[in-house]
Amino acid sequence: MDSTLVKAIARAFRWQKMLETGRYATIKEIAKAEKINPSYVSRVLRMTLLAPYIVEALLDGRQPTEVTLTVLMRPFPVAWEEQVEAGFSRI
């Protein structure tokens, strides 16, 4: 299991919840509170758009070794079907 990847996924869903509940109104506010770059927050938050079965596989450590946090922080399709077509089905 990739603990860095698991931590990032947990952060992504925690930050999403903070936005949804109104604790923070913007990514910039989260970044300021966490003392990190807004770009990083934005890229990590995108992981909440992964298909649920992909998130589950990542948390279980069932992804190929080449699937790292760096890879997942690159742009990927938002539609779950397109994630499969883009090669995420190997996870």
Side-chain angles (χ1 to χ4, degrees):
M1 180 184 326
D2 183 341
S3 62
T4 303
L5 185 55
V6 170
K7 181 179 176 182
I9 292 169
R11 279 180 137 181
F13 282 94
R14 181 171 58 91
W15 292 339
Q16 179 187 35
K17 183 75 167 179
M18 290 175 168
L19 288 169
E20 289 172 351
T21 61
R23 180 168 178 191
Y24 295 108
T26 66
I27 289 171
K28 282 185 177 183
E29 287 180 11
I30 293 173
K32 184 177 178 182
E34 299 278 334
K35 297 179 175 69
I36 54 180
N37 188 301
S39 173
Y40 177 80
V41 174
S42 179
R43 287 180 283 138
V44 170
L45 269 170
R46 272 198 313 258
M47 287 192 283
T48 63
L49 303 175
L50 288 168
Y53 80 89
I54 294 174
V55 173
E56 183 178 325
L58 294 169
L59 294 176
D60 288 345
R62 292 185 277 126
Q63 76 277 10
T65 55
E66 66 270 10
V67 177
T68 63
L69 179 58
T70 303
V71 169
L72 288 173
M73 289 182 67
R74 295 180 193 145
F76 57 81
V78 176
W80 296 345
E81 303 82 29
E82 292 175 18
Q83 290 174 13
V84 171
E85 292 170 11
F88 283 85
S89 61
R90 294 189 354 247
I91 295 178

